Amino acid sequence: MIVCIGAGPGHLDFLTRKGADLITEADVVAGFDAVVDVVRPLIPTTAQVVTMSYRDQVTQLAEVARLHHAGKRCAVVFMGDIHFSGFQFLERVETACGHSVETVPGISSAQMLASKSRVCFDETTFLTFHRRGDLNPFKTHLRDVLAAGRNAIVIPRPWDFMPKDIAAYLLGYGLPPEHRAEVWENLSRTEAEWTGNLTQLAEQDFSDMSILLVRALAPMPTGLEGEA
């Protein structure tokens, strides 16, 4: 067995029961250091832990694949939901194993932000720049989303397309500076780390654990207008 598990946005409260059960039953638990640290209380004392960084992930995943093919039950943990911003890591896991692997979705930071900021996903588009490769198609998509009157939840890319870079990019293409923005660095808090407009955001620095909400200029109609 090898399974990839979305481990939630940094807190065990938001790990699914199935994901937790698979971790507690695993012979091998693998993932980036920060993610493994989140689930460490669930890892059996008998399990082998394989941690990795961006630099050695290919080598470490090759070891995980070797253990998997040797008959070990392997759990590879991802921050948040695998299919929100972890698809490139998933591809690396499958390349190492030589076959498709089972995935167990988790709660994403985008879902938590939507809940805390009270935005509806019907009216909101989620974009992640936390990826390697050309960002230009995704930058264009962000402009189009906001121009269409939708909210945008955005995961920045450390460290070359952070919230202030995103704001500067949008302003450079003529988007109204009045767009309200929120930056969350700790989603366990009850309020955003920072709120302001795009002009103000372009002057702010945040950590690589940030997630950004850019609100539409005007709320969409709820469909309930006029009801008693």
Side-chain angles (χ1 to χ4, degrees):
M1 180 204 80
I2 184 166
V3 59
C4 292
I5 301 166
H11 198 289
L12 287 179
D13 284 354
F14 300 97
L15 175 65
T16 66
R17 180 177 296 177
K18 181 174 182 179
D21 288 346
L22 287 167
I23 292 168
T24 59
E25 296 165 0
D27 301 312
V28 179
V29 177
F32 285 92
D33 300 74
V35 190
V36 171
D37 284 343
V38 171
V39 303
R40 198 172 291 278
L42 302 176
I43 300 174
T45 56
T46 55
Q48 180 176 345
V49 177
V50 181
T51 58
M52 61 199 71
S53 66
Y54 286 104
R55 292 182 178 179
D56 67 355
Q57 58 183 310
V58 173
T59 301
Q60 295 296 81
L61 287 175
E63 173 63 9
V64 175
R66 184 190 69 78
L67 293 166
H68 156 59
H69 289 299
K72 300 292 186 180
R73 293 171 296 180
C74 300
V76 183
V77 291
F78 291 57
M79 192 68 83
D81 187 292
I82 297 163
H83 304 285
F84 272 59
S85 58
F87 68 97
Q88 288 182 325
F89 189 44
L90 173 61
E91 184 175 335
R92 290 189 178 94
V93 173
E94 294 184 331
T95 298
C97 292
H99 60 78
S100 297
V101 303
E102 180 186 355
T103 62
V104 175
I107 303 299
S108 72
S109 56
Q111 290 167 289
M112 284 196 68
L113 188 150
S115 177
K116 288 178 176 292
S117 298
R118 299 187 64 82
V119 294
C120 173
F121 267 119
D122 290 350
E123 305 165 4
T124 305
T125 297
F126 171 72
L127 302 94
T128 176
F129 293 105
H130 201 278
R131 55 186 300 134
R132 297 191 182 189
D134 183 16
L135 296 185
N136 285 319
F138 305 95
K139 292 179 178 180
T140 300
H141 184 41
L142 175 58
R143 294 185 351 237
D144 292 344
V145 162
L146 294 171
R150 295 177 61 82
N151 307 303
I153 295 174
V154 186
I155 293 181
R157 181 167 79 175
W159 289 92
D160 60 350
F161 202 55
M162 294 294 284
K164 69 177 184 180
D165 305 306
I166 294 169
Y169 169 81
L170 294 173
L171 291 169
Y173 273 89
L175 269 77
E178 293 80 17
H179 276 284
R180 301 297 296 175
E182 301 171 14
V183 177
W184 296 74
E185 290 188 288
N186 186 338
L187 283 168
S188 65
R189 295 178 180 172
T190 57
E191 296 181 355
E193 185 80 17
W194 179 91
T195 61
N197 61 35
L198 288 181
T199 301
Q200 295 165 332
L201 179 59
E203 300 175 350
Q204 302 294 320
D205 291 310
F206 299 97
S207 76
D208 62 337
M209 299 301 290
S210 301
I211 186 168
L212 168 66
L213 169 68
V214 182
R215 293 186 181 271
L217 288 177
M220 287 187 178
T222 67
L224 301 179
E225 289 79 9
E227 287 191 6

